[in-house]
Amino acid sequence: MTSEIVVDPAPHPAWLPDGALAAAGRRRVAVATPEPAEPQRGGVAPPGSDSSPQVVATLRAELERATAAHGGAVVDPDGSPDLLLALVHEVSGPGARLPARGPDTSGGDGFRIVRDGGRVTVTAETPTALLHGWFHVVRHGETAFTGPDVDERHAPAFALRVLDHWDNVDVHPVMGQVERGYSGGSIFYADGRVRDDLSRVTTYARLLAATGVDRVCINNVNVHAREARLLTDDLPEVARVAAAMRPYGVRTHLAVSFAAPMTLGGLPTSDPLDDDVRAWWRAAADRVWATIPDFGGFVVKADSEGQPGPFAYGRDHADGANLLAEAVAPHDGVVHWRAFVYDHTQDWRDRTTDRARAAYDHFAPLDGRFADNVVVQVKHGPIDFQTREAVSPVLAGMPATRLALELQVTQEYTGQQRHACYLAPWWSENLGFRPWGAGEDGAAVRDVVAGRGPSAPAAVADAGGGGIAAVSNVGDDRFWTGHPLAQANLYAFGRLAWDPTLEPAAILDEWVGLTFAGPDGGLEPRVREALHAVLDDSWRTYESYTAPLGVGFMVRPGHHYGPDVDGYEYTPWGTYHFADRDGIGVDRTRATGTGFTGQYPEPWRDVYEDLATCPDELLLFFHHVPYTHVLRSGVTVVQHVYDTHFAGVERVREAVAAWESLADLVPGALPADVDARVRERLAEQLRSAVEWRDQLNTYFFRKSGIPDAHGRTIF
Ligand code: GCV
């Protein structure tokens, strides 16, 4: 007899199942607000002020929901509640005022939490901040009430914490509904329009509010003709999306096309210095904010992979970005302008052009020319979201510009949500990277994007820098993210956006505790153990059976899944490894290569330049070496390829075994549908890892003629 899994059509609760609310829900809780809770101005907060009564209403509904599920009660603020959430005009008490507010933030996002003899009081100056305080209490479960007395202030490190959706309104013939999406369709669009039922979007905003993300760009940065109209004809529809996210304090952004004045406005040009073009953008922005008063701003991909941009008019990217900045400035809007600009029509025979150099070459000379409300959004690496690449030197090269770090939660190059690959350790490494080593007070990338980089001018510092952005991995899949365990990546991004110093394993622990909470909030310890075994090192495991030593790509062109060592080698995309019979890697040195190492400040410009000091994990990113080059581990490059690829597959087998060890908990501590989906994905991961191992090992054996020192099977 086959046991049938009954699939609940409602989306999976992710990290907010009712069980996660148990500790607070069992208690007497209250909300105190000095302001009227009834919606004003149609329920829309005045731009930038975030006095949205809707969020207060949300908070009350959260407390009702938690107490109804767990037997507690919502009481009067003066009825001795165990938990009091109080909106105040100014947070008082020891210490300075709440930190972390910039002109683009929706007011102070921080809150104060005091636990005194088991009674907890959260105070904040805005409803959204208070909501963050509520989710802080939820995250801490019983210990929120039973821990030692505390008086703490919490505020997000970054003023802007954005998720970008690469969702198309129309299904794109090649890229589908969601470009690089591995979780079904879009939660925003279906059948060529904004969905009628946006309840799932509100649930998404709730999940995001519980992590710290406060802005969502709802369409693809590759803006096709249909999607361009979101800016004009479809504004009322965009307003519906904004209304669906507003109750949780999440603001809406749109990706726009630089050519919009021509394609939508009928003008003969999109030249950023043309007066009619400037007037067109001002009118467009005025209409947007008239329709959505708390709209966030625009995201732009220009002169990149076929998207239009200022180069067509002999203008640069500061001219382009400032055009839009001028249009949104009266509304306190922000322009996220992407630095992902390179030549995608390169001649593979040309060894002098280096895609890694492109963003810095285009943008660093423009430092200081961007308007105060422009954020230059920089991918973490100089190539494209690879499993391993160097940190982009742009992040150290534009001190007078608000910079945002761009990450990719959707697993385009890291297993497409068929492989378990927990990315927080990788993001943490990038955030913690110190571009000046111990110099410049040891400032790290996370300081730069918070506006605290060396020599940041007041405008950058006061705005809190450009913050952080990432490409979402969410779709209309029941589990939101295709692979249920990929939810951990979405959660981790939100938590790192709030506090980039959090430990990845601690974030995972939080995620497990919430997501797998039983009805009374408890967690089966074996589930925690197994999930750490599967996920903690999964990014390094993935790295070990895919492209080695920072060389990148080697994926199937187009869809980017699975191995194809030479797939991009003779293409125009600028992503080469230069493997021949003797060696492999890209010479990016100043001495003999493309000179990319020169884009870094000291110490890295010399550390990377010198084969003797370049870290092994980035060796092939910076150097072309013989297969017999000996790594610090004592093995040669080619032996390292063999060893890591054999070991990587074994580690996947161990992950499969760790998950299977939970079989007796299904159903119960482990829901049957989650188990079934995870098993299906792990089986594919193992199949794919074996394929990667065998193709990579065979390729390098055939190229080099050097056998595996341990005589293992290579084809
Ligand atoms: C949205 C990579 C992806 C593209 C993506 C692009 C970008 O090249 O493969 O699908 O386009 O990055 O970040 O703009």
Side-chain angles (χ1 to χ4, degrees), residues 166 179-180 221-222 301 305 338 340 379 384 412:
W166 287 352
E179 181 156 347
R180 311 304 179 188
V221 289
N222 289 330
K301 170 177 178 177
E305 300 182 334
R338 297 177 83 226
F340 183 60
K379 285 193 183 187
D384 194 4
E412 177 178 0

Side-chain angles (χ1 to χ4, degrees), residues 512 516 523-531 658-676 679:
V512 174
F516 295 90
L523 175 71
E524 160 62 50
R526 281 170 54 211
V527 171
R528 186 187 297 283
E529 227 172 89
L531 279 161
W659 186 265
E660 278 177 355
S661 74
L662 302 177
D664 61 307
L665 301 178
V666 183
L670 215 51
D673 57 348
V674 172
D675 177 57
R679 276 169 185 271

Side-chain angles (χ1 to χ4, degrees), residues 168-189:
N168 299 312
V169 181
D170 270 345
V171 175
H172 185 272
V174 179
M175 291 299 173
Q177 180 92 64
V178 180
E179 181 156 347
R180 311 304 179 188
Y182 313 105
S183 311
S186 166
I187 59 169
F188 302 111
Y189 318 105

Side-chain angles (χ1 to χ4, degrees), residues 285-300:
D286 290 350
R287 274 195 310 271
V288 172
W289 267 274
T291 314
I292 310 166
D294 61 351
F295 186 76
F298 297 140
V299 181
V300 188

